[in-house]
Amino acid sequence: MSGKKRILVDETEWYRAQRAAQNLKQVRRDVPRLLEEVRRQTEADQARTRAQLEERARRTEQALSGLAAHTQRLERDTGRRLREQSERLQQELRGTADRLERDTRSMLAEQRAALERELAAERDQRRRDIADLTGRVDEIAGNRERAAAAAREWLADGATMAELIATTLPHERHAPGRLDRLRLDLDTARRNSDAGQYEAALALSQSAYLDLSELRLDVEHRELERRLAQDTATDALVLVETLITQNEVRPVMGPDGRPLPGVELDVDRWSEGELEELRGQVAERLSRARDDARTAAEQRELLAEAADLEERLGEVVDRAGMQLLASQLRVNLVDSVAGTLSRIGGYELVDGEYQDEDERRSYHAVLEHMTGNKIVVQVLPAADGETGQILRVLSYDYDTTAEHELRGRVEAVRQALGEEGHPTGALESEPGVPEPRETDLNRFRKRAGGAS
């Protein structure tokens, strides 16, 4: 004879309906507030970027003022077009509300493609601008004095451009070694000039300058691509961080789809710390995204991770809501069992408590008969990886000892649960006899000094 019976209660229609009503995986997105919060949190990043660009523009303008008139005009036109590209792309990145609903990785890919097209167009334009400059070499050929003067001018412009690149642009990140090689070309041109080989010096110094100017253009574009990727990754991670805050506490919906007054889902509590763990992971990646040493490829990886983290947020919210619903289901099941035992056996519910007064844990109830017989009903979460609840019925009988009577009583409970919409597995008997301590629910109550 065993006074311990066990039934697996699968997900009920009530549970599935409630879960659907909560729409748990649908992360709440208060778009106006979301946009405002993202703008607020990225304001410092934008201010830092603006300060860097303004300082670079100041130093560039100062350097360009020392160039010859024809090269100064070329570089200023290039600088103006670079600024226009940067401003337009930044505006596209930050200026549309629908970007919150778009795949930011696709948007960044579109911007990269646009940047490549504009780089190609810029190079075509520069080739046309440069054609006029390079044509002057042929005009000077055979005139030593003019060749010497022109070589000195191109050498000076080359030195200015090399210094500008060295001091204002991350050339080693985007074009490692190229500046050093072009400086060697300038040194060779300078030695040719010092040796009186002015035509050779002119051709090499002009070529070195144009290559330096091309290097400047290339590095500027690569850095613009990196900054766009950084801004996009930062925005996406700030968005996830903001969504976490917006979804910390969620309303609980009733059967009519309206929020239940005074009932809320504390996502971190019901997910048992998963939300705070996720927040920490987002913060760590946001710190990496704000690191200027990260490459564009690394920033794109962080952007992909941001999308994954947002998806995980939905999963965390879903699990938290499921835990809340499962907690309510445990009480519902006890009520159903108590109603059945009252009807068929005259038992009355006299006590009920969650383990350690924690609604996330198992629920225990004590039912008592006028004869002094007791039944303890326990509803425990199923093992990890399984769905449903484990219903245990522990009988403490003084006058009912036959196994078929105990089994028949719990079988009636199982059938009643099925009729009420709670699908169950087969009734199982557990070995041994119930321990007396299971009838004392005060051991779960902290105020009684006994959380165990």
Side-chain angles (χ1 to χ4, degrees), residues 33 47 92 97 125 226 244 286 294 300 368 408 429 447:
R33 283 180 52 206
E92 289 175 3
Q125 179 62 47
R226 188 201 66 79
I244 289 174
L286 189 52
R294 301 286 171 181
R300 288 192 289 272
E368 190 169 347
S429 294
R447 60 180 176 276

Side-chain angles (χ1 to χ4, degrees), residues 27 68 105 148 160 184 204 244 278 306 330 337 390 393 408 431:
V27 175
R105 287 171 289 187
T160 298
L184 289 176
L204 185 55
I244 289 174
L278 182 63
R330 289 194 278 277
V337 173
I390 302 299
V393 180

Side-chain angles (χ1 to χ4, degrees), residues 34-51:
L34 202 54
L35 273 172
E36 183 58 34
E37 186 62 19
V38 170
R39 289 194 185 103
R40 186 187 68 79
Q41 290 198 45
T42 57
E43 186 175 348
D45 299 300
Q46 296 172 40
R48 180 170 58 87
T49 298
R50 282 196 302 271

Side-chain angles (χ1 to χ4, degrees), residues 170-181 215 218-219 222:
H171 59 93
E172 282 299 322
R173 173 191 291 162
H174 300 297
R178 279 179 63 186
L179 179 61
D180 290 338
R181 290 193 293 272
L215 174 60
D218 189 52
V219 172
R222 298 307 162 203

Side-chain angles (χ1 to χ4, degrees), residues 68 89 118 139 194 230 277 326 374 441 448 452:
L89 290 170
E118 289 176 357
E139 296 175 9
D194 291 343
Q230 180 180 36
E277 181 182 348
K374 291 183 180 180
L441 302 191
S452 60

Side-chain angles (χ1 to χ4, degrees), residues 333-347 349 367 416 420:
L333 288 173
V334 166
D335 286 344
S336 295
V337 173
T340 300
L341 291 175
S342 175
R343 185 176 67 254
I344 68 173
Y347 282 85
L349 181 65
L367 292 81
E420 293 176 11

Side-chain angles (χ1 to χ4, degrees), residues 363-411:
Y363 190 75
H364 301 245
V366 177
L367 292 81
E368 190 169 347
H369 194 273
M370 65 177 62
T371 61
N373 291 342
K374 291 183 180 180
I375 294 176
V376 173
V377 180
Q378 301 174 342
V379 187
L380 303 84
D384 290 343
E386 298 180 7
T387 60
Q389 307 288 326
I390 302 299
L391 175 66
R392 299 180 75 228
V393 180
L394 310 179
S395 298
Y396 299 82
D397 290 85
Y398 299 102
D399 55 5
T400 302
T401 57
E403 171 65 16
H404 73 276
E405 292 184 24
L406 295 176
R407 188 176 186 87
R409 183 168 63 194
V410 182
E411 182 64 34

Side-chain angles (χ1 to χ4, degrees), residues 51-121:
Q52 292 172 346
L53 294 177
E54 288 170 2
E55 174 61 16
R56 183 184 300 168
R58 184 190 66 77
R59 295 172 68 178
T60 299
E61 183 61 29
Q62 185 177 29
L64 294 183
S65 64
L67 295 176
H70 51 277
T71 50
Q72 187 177 131
R73 183 168 55 253
L74 170 68
E75 299 302 338
R76 284 202 165 116
D77 286 345
T78 297
R80 174 182 53 77
R81 289 192 292 266
L82 285 169
R83 286 192 301 274
E84 289 172 353
Q85 291 169 12
S86 176
E87 289 168 3
R88 184 178 68 258
L89 290 170
Q90 290 286 352
Q91 186 174 9
E92 289 175 3
L93 175 65
R94 300 191 183 280
T96 55
D98 67 335
R99 70 187 173 89
L100 296 180
E101 306 300 333
R102 294 182 60 194
D103 183 344
T104 48
R105 287 171 289 187
S106 297
M107 184 170 65
L108 188 58
E110 291 170 8
Q111 289 192 331
R112 288 181 65 197
L115 198 57
E116 291 296 336
R117 289 193 299 271
E118 289 176 357
L119 176 58

